[in-house]
Amino acid sequence: MLSREPVFEILRKSVHLVSIFIVLIYEFFGKDAILWVLMVFLVTVLFLEYLRLEKGMRIPFFYMMYREEEANRPGGHIYFALGAIAAISLFSREIAYAAVLMTTFGDLVAALIGKSYGKRRIFRETFKNDKSLEGSVSEFITDLLVGLVITGNPIVSLVMAFIATLTETAVNRIDDNLVIPVFSGFSGQMTLFLLAYL
């Protein structure tokens, strides 16, 4: 049976499953449409964050979704929206899809496996955190599968999965919802560019 912490983490991460809708809107209505949807979402959540952080209001339901360290700073959904906007604006369609979906599914699986089954805390010296090897490996496998399904390119998928996992594992103070789509998307786009000229 899952303890409360993994259940809470799944609940938090499940909000990011909107990434599926991001991909669907982009696919059926185009880049401009999804960028406008994301901007409306960003404006809305920034206003809600203003009420929460500046005015001390407890927005029903939403206040339960914040970690303790997010009590006095913006939540991950702000950075997720910014990361998605950056990826969609700058990268090709397939790379943007993969980057956004890796941010959601890789992070969700890493949190679930890491908090439920993580035993080997091998990153304490290198990255100064308690993230587990089990969580990182499960994230890498998930990201690799996402990349293969979306791009169909094993080299691009491998590079993106590695960068996404490394970023998630190494970053402590910068929100991973921003850096994963930006770094994994950039690495995937650069890999495609290099492969085209080899």
Side-chain angles (χ1 to χ4, degrees), residues 28-170:
F28 290 105
F29 299 100
K31 180 185 281 193
D32 288 345
I34 188 54
L35 287 175
W36 272 107
V37 168
L38 286 168
M39 282 305 300
V40 170
F41 172 79
L42 183 60
V43 168
T44 302
V45 294
L46 281 172
F47 178 69
L48 292 175
E49 289 290 66
Y50 167 77
L51 295 178
R52 180 177 74 92
L53 296 172
E54 303 286 344
K55 300 299 182 183
M57 292 179 61
R58 286 178 57 154
I59 311 297
F61 178 73
F62 290 103
Y63 76 91
M64 302 179 343
M65 304 298 288
Y66 294 94
R67 290 188 180 127
E68 187 177 330
E69 61 267 22
E70 292 174 329
N72 297 305
R73 65 177 177 84
H77 49 287
I78 301 288
Y79 299 102
F80 180 75
L82 291 171
I85 289 169
I88 290 165
S89 298
L90 298 171
F91 309 137
S92 67
R93 183 185 301 239
E94 289 77 15
I95 296 296
Y97 287 174
V100 169
L101 292 174
M102 284 180 183
T103 305
T104 296
F105 290 102
D107 202 18
L108 173 61
V109 171
L112 177 60
I113 299 298
K115 291 182 183 300
S116 300
Y117 306 105
K119 304 293 183 194
R120 299 171 182 85
R121 310 287 174 175
I122 66 170
F123 303 113
R124 286 179 176 146
E125 288 298 318
T126 307
F127 299 127
K128 312 298 183 196
N129 62 47
D130 277 338
K131 294 174 183 176
S132 69
L133 178 63
E134 292 84 354
S136 293
V137 169
S138 62
E139 176 173 12
F140 175 77
I141 293 169
T142 303
D143 289 342
L144 182 59
L145 291 173
V146 167
L148 289 170
V149 169
I150 298 298
T151 71
N153 187 316
I155 297 174
V156 171
S157 301
L158 190 64
V159 170
M160 290 185 72
F162 175 76
I163 295 299
T165 304
L166 179 63
T167 302
E168 156 67 23
T169 306

